[in-house]
Amino acid sequence: MLFGDHLLINKQYGGLMKKMLITALVSVFFAPFATAEVNVVSWGGAYTESQKLGYGDPFTAKTGIKLNWIDYSGGLSEVRAQAEAGNITYDIVDLFAKDTITGCDEGLLVEFDFDKDFPAAPDGTPASEDFFAPMPSDCAVGNILYSWNYAYNPNAFPGADSMPSTIGDFFDTEKFPGKRSIYTGAMSNLEIALVADGVSAGGVYDVLENQTGALDRAIGKFEALCNDPSGGCIFWSAGAQPPEFLASGEVVMSTGWNGRFFNAIVGEGTTIEQVWDGQVLDYEYFGLVANGPNPEEAMEALKYFTGTEGLAGSAKYIAYAPFRISSLDIIEANEPWYKDGKTEMLPQMPTAPDNTKNYILMNPEYWADNEVEVGEAWEAFKASL
Amino acid sequence: MSKILTTEGLPLEKSLKKVEQKNKFRAFLLVLPLLLFLIVAYVWPILNLLTRSVDNRLISDLLPQTAIALANWEGNEMPSEDIYKTFYLDLNEAHKQKLSGKVSTRLNYAKNGFKSLINKTRRKLKNFEDENYKDQFIDLNKKWGDIEYWQAMKVAMPKYTIDKYLGSVDLEKNYSGEIIQKPEKRRIHRTLWYRTFYVALGVTICCLLLAYPIAHLLSTLPLRYSNLLLICVLLPFWTSLLVRTSSWMILLQQQGVLNDILVYFKIVGDKSRLELMYNMTGTFVAMTQILLPFMVLPLYSVMKTIPPSLMRAGSSLGGTPFHSFRKIYFPLTYPGIGAGSLLVFILAIGYYITPALVGGASGTLISNRIAYHMKETLDWSMASAMGTMLLISVLVLYWLYNKILGIDNIKLG
C-alpha cells in the first residue's frame, strides 16, 4: 500500500482516528476484563482466508477487538436456531442475497440505516452510491461480486481442435466428452442451462417466471447431460470441491466460484482454465445478527470490513471484486495487487471488461420466491438419476 | 393374632414399609438428575418437534380477520371487495408491527411467489385509498387478481394442519379441502422414503453378512488373537465419522486408490474406471463399513456365551457341520442378530452425513431432505413433519420386532 493513501485517509478521518485511538486505549486498559470477541461466520477455505488477511487481521491490529472466524455452508438455520434458543453466538454472517431477504423478513438480522451506518468513500460519495448496486434488503451490506462460471481441465481433451470457450460447450459432450460437476442446488444451474439453450443472458429470469415450461426446459438440459453415457454429473456443495475435482481428474469440467478457481490456478499452480461466457454474476453480503452477543464491536467490524480499504484488502488475496467502486481505485493505483506481488488483480475479477461480455446477473428475488417449488423439481430430477 | 410391634410400638409391617419408602425415595433422588436431563434434552425437544409440524397458528395470528373471511369464502370464484379490504387492514397492522416479513415467508411455503408479492405490496400500503381495495391491489400487482394465490392463502390459514405431513408424501390439499397429488415433476419424497428404507435394509443385510463370520472368529480365537482383532473392529469406532467418510472418498473416487490398483493390474481399462462413488454403491460401501461395529459387538457378545461343546455334541450325534450349525448354533445367535440388526437399521435410517458426502444425487436419503428444509428453506415445520414420520416408522418397527421376536430376546452384550 502506498504511503500517500494513508496520509490522505488520516487527514480525512482525523476525528475518527482519534475516536479509534481512544477505543484502542480503552480496550488496552480493560483488556483483561473486556473480552469482547466478534464471531464472524463465513464460507471457509480460500475465501475466509482472504477476508481474514484482507480486513480481519488489520481490524484486530487497529482496534484490539479479536475476531473468531467460523466456517459454515450457507443458510440461516444456525442463526434461527440460536435466536429461538435465546442464545445467539453469531455476530456477523456472510450471506447470499436471498438469505438476507429471508433473514430480514424473519427478523433475524439487523436493519441498517445505510448511509448513516456505513462510511462514505474517501472522496465523500455516500456509501449508498459508492456500492455497485442497491442492496437486496435493508439487512444487507455488500461485500464482494463473484461469479458462478465453469472451468475445465485442458489435459482432458488432448485431441480437441479447440478448448471449451462458450457456455454451450459445457453441455456439448460430443465435442468435449467427460463428466461434469455442477452445484448441488438449482441456483445458477437453471440460468446457465437456459443461456446454453439459446435464451439471451439478460432475459433468463423473464423466461423463467413467465414462460410455461421454462423450468422443465432448463432441467431437461441437465437431464440430457447427466444421463449421457459420454457425460455424467457429480454435484458439488462446498466451494473447495470444484478445483479439487478438476485437479484430480474426477471431472473434466465443473461450475464453481471464480475466486476458488483463481486461487487454484494462480495460487496453487493447478492446470485448469476458466471460461468467461454465460456465467452468473452474483453479489455476496454481510448481515448483522439481531441481538448478537457483541452488537457494538460487531458493527465497528462491519464498518471496517465494508469500508473502501477493507474491501480492497480482501481483493489482494482472492479474485472477487470489491463491492465498493472506490476500492477499485486503490487496487488500480497499486497493481500488481495480488499477494504474490506480480499478478494484476483487476483483469481477474468478474467485473473486468473482458469477463463481462456475456453474463447473467443473479436475481435474488426470483430465488427467494421460488426456492421451494423449484427446489422440489430440481431434487426430483436429481433423484431420477 | 397379635401384631409384631417394634420398640417404638409401631406395627413392624408399617415400620418396614416406611423404611422401604424412604429408600425408594433416596434411590429416586439419585436418578432424578438423569431423569431431568432426559426430559429437558430428549423428551421436550421431541414434543416440540411434534407440535411444530402441525402448529400453524402464526399465520392466522398475523392475519386474524382474513383467516375468518377466507374460511367463509368458497374459493371457486374471485374473492369479494370485503375480503380484499380485510386483508389490507390485517396486512397493514402486521406491517406496522414489523411482522409482514413473517407473513411473506409463511405464505411463500404455501405458494411460491408470495414472498416478493407481499414484500412489494407492503411498501405501497401507506398509499392505499379507502375504497376499491380490490382494484388497487390488482393495479399494484396482477398476481393479486390471480385466484390461485387466494386459494393458496385459504389453504394456509387453519391454526392446526396436517399439510406438512401430506407434503412429505407428495400430496397436497386444494382449496376445497380435497387431498390431491402434487404435480408429477415435483414428486420427490416418496422416492426418497423408498430409497431410505431400501438402503437401511440393504446396509443391515450387508453388515450382518460381513459381521457374522468376524464375530464367530472373534469368539472362537484364543484370547490374545481375539483381543487384537477386537481392537481392529473397534478402531474405526474411535475415529471421527467425517475422517472415515473422507477416507472412503479417497479410496473410491475414479482417480482413487482402488481404481488405480484395478487399472494397474489391467482388470479395468483406464478409460472405463469404475464409478464407485457419488452413487448408491458409495453410500452402501461407506455406510456398511461405518455401521459394522454395531453389528459385530452384539453378535460377539452372544456367540461368546455359546459353549463350543454344543457343536461337538451335534457332530457326535452324526450331524454334518452345516447341519449342526443350522440347527444348533445359528438359532442360539438370534438375540445377537436381532439386536445388531435393529441397531444398524435404526442408525442407518437416519443417516445424514455419509450419504451427503459420498451419495451424490442417486444416494440422497430422506435425512438429506430434512437437512435441506432446516438449512435452505427454513421451513422447519416441514422438516419436523418428516422427522416425526421417521421417528414413528422406527417405533413401528420396534413394535413389530417386539410382536414377532419379543424384545426381551434382544441381547446387547
Side-chain angles (χ1 to χ4, degrees), chain B residues 16-28:
Chain B
L16 276 175
K17 221 175 219 169
K18 221 175 171 183
V19 173
E20 201 180 333
Q21 251 170 9
K22 221 180 195 172
N23 280 341
K24 258 189 193 161
F25 183 68
R26 269 195 203 143
F28 178 71

Side-chain angles (χ1 to χ4, degrees), chain A residues 125-139:
Chain A
T125 315
S128 56
E129 286 165 40
D130 193 26
F131 280 76
F132 268 103
M135 298 302 139
S137 78
D138 293 338
C139 302

Side-chain angles (χ1 to χ4, degrees), chain B residues 227-364:
Chain B
N227 272 350
L228 193 71
L229 211 60
L230 199 62
I231 286 177
C232 291
V233 171
L234 285 174
L235 209 57
F237 234 5
W238 301 327
T239 322
S240 144
L241 180 68
L242 264 177
V243 172
R244 274 186 284 166
T245 309
S246 323
S247 31
W248 274 113
M249 292 168 78
I250 295 169
L251 290 175
L252 293 179
Q253 58 185 333
Q254 280 204 301
Q255 305 295 325
V257 178
L258 200 64
N259 262 311
D260 281 349
I261 293 172
L262 291 177
V263 170
Y264 181 80
F265 287 108
K266 302 236 161 49
I267 297 168
V268 298
D270 199 12
K271 288 277 166 219
S272 54
R273 283 166 176 261
L274 302 177
E275 280 187 50
L276 300 170
M277 204 172 71
Y278 304 120
N279 53 24
M280 197 66 102
T281 321
T283 310
F284 262 108
V285 172
M287 277 176 72
T288 303
Q289 192 265 340
I290 287 165
L291 293 175
L292 199 59
F294 292 97
M295 187 67 95
V296 173
L297 294 177
L299 276 176
Y300 168 70
S301 73
V302 167
M303 288 176 177
K304 198 81 188 146
T305 60
I306 302 174
S309 53
L310 285 181
M311 284 291 278
R312 285 203 293 273
S315 311
S316 75
L317 291 170
T320 60
F322 176 72
H323 194 74
S324 341
F325 170 78
R326 203 171 62 88
K327 284 280 178 199
I328 302 167
Y329 196 81
F330 190 64
L332 283 172
T333 57
Y334 282 169
I337 296 176
S341 302
L342 205 62
L343 209 57
V344 170
F345 188 87
I346 290 175
L347 284 171
I349 210 171
Y351 237 59
Y352 159 67
I353 192 75
T354 307
L357 285 174
V358 299
S362 54
T364 320

Side-chain angles (χ1 to χ4, degrees), chain A residues 25-355:
Chain A
L25 271 177
V26 168
S27 60
V28 164
F29 248 94
F30 289 99
F33 315 103
T35 49
E37 290 181 6
V38 176
N39 294 324
V40 191
V41 184
S42 185
W43 299 81
Y47 178 52
T48 294
E49 192 66 12
S50 78
Q51 296 181 307
K52 191 173 171 301
L53 296 172
Y55 39 70
D57 292 348
F59 173 74
T60 307
K62 204 167 180 179
T63 59
I65 299 172
K66 248 188 85 181
L67 301 174
N68 295 324
W69 293 89
I70 300 166
D71 292 352
Y72 88 136
S73 58
L76 287 161
S77 58
E78 289 97 338
V79 177
R80 179 155 160 198
Q82 289 173 7
E84 290 201 0
N87 179 22
I88 298 177
T89 55
Y90 288 3
D91 287 298
I92 298 172
V93 189
D94 198 290
L95 292 162
F96 280 153
K98 70 176 173 69
D99 290 330
T100 70
I101 299 176
T102 310
C104 222
D105 286 345
E106 288 283 300
L108 297 171
L109 303 173
V110 175
E111 286 184 22
F112 297 125
D113 187 348
F114 208 79
D115 281 329
K116 237 193 218 163
D117 283 344
F118 298 103
D123 66 0
T125 315
S128 56
E129 286 165 40
D130 193 26
F131 280 76
F132 268 103
M135 298 302 139
S137 78
D138 293 338
C139 302
V141 53
N143 169 8
I144 50 155
L145 283 81
Y146 69 104
S147 97
W148 304 72
N149 42 346
Y150 81 89
Y152 60 90
N153 185 340
N155 301 332
F157 316 112
D161 324 324
S162 61
M163 285 294 147
S165 61
T166 66
I167 191 68
D169 290 340
F170 189 77
F171 295 89
D172 190 346
T173 49
E174 216 168 287
K175 231 162 121 190
F176 305 106
K179 245 196 247 168
R180 281 25 175 196
S181 168
I182 55 179
Y183 181 57
T184 182
M187 196 161 92
S188 83
N189 283 333
L190 299 186
E191 289 95 324
I192 60 169
L194 285 181
V195 172
D197 206 36
V199 176
S200 77
V204 167
Y205 293 100
D206 188 41
V207 170
L208 271 175
E209 282 194 273
N210 300 321
Q211 260 182 33
T212 40
L215 182 60
D216 295 344
R217 179 177 165 191
I219 291 179
K221 196 89 182 152
F222 282 104
E223 257 166 349
L225 177 71
C226 300
N227 289 320
D228 189 337
S230 53
C233 297
I234 290 177
F235 296 84
W236 63 269
S237 53
Q241 283 173 315
E244 214 175 276
F245 287 161
L246 287 167
S248 73
E250 192 72 18
V251 300
V252 298
M253 292 187 205
S254 176
T255 63
W257 296 327
N258 76 290
R260 302 293 181 118
F261 287 138
F262 167 82
N263 190 61
I265 299 168
V266 180
E268 291 161 14
T270 320
T271 43
I272 53 177
E273 296 282 341
Q274 284 193 83
V275 175
W276 293 96
D277 179 64
Q279 79 274 16
V280 183
L281 185 64
D282 198 355
Y283 302 93
E284 185 70 12
Y285 302 86
F286 279 125
L288 186 63
V289 179
N291 310 315
N294 301 299
E296 275 160 38
E297 290 86 353
M299 193 61 217
E300 275 313 303
L302 210 48
K303 274 181 194 170
Y304 185 85
F305 292 180
T306 59
T308 303
E309 261 190 285
L311 290 181
S314 69
K316 197 171 192 138
Y317 303 94
I318 201 161
Y320 294 137
F323 214 122
R324 274 183 187 257
I325 298 166
S326 58
S327 302
L328 289 176
D329 300 340
I330 297 187
I331 300 173
E332 199 174 6
N334 295 294
E335 288 276 32
W337 184 244
Y338 187 56
K339 61 178 174 185
D340 65 0
K342 53 187 186 214
T343 309
E344 298 230 340
M345 219 50 191
L346 285 180
Q348 304 285 351
M349 297 198 164
T351 45
D354 275 347
N355 300 343

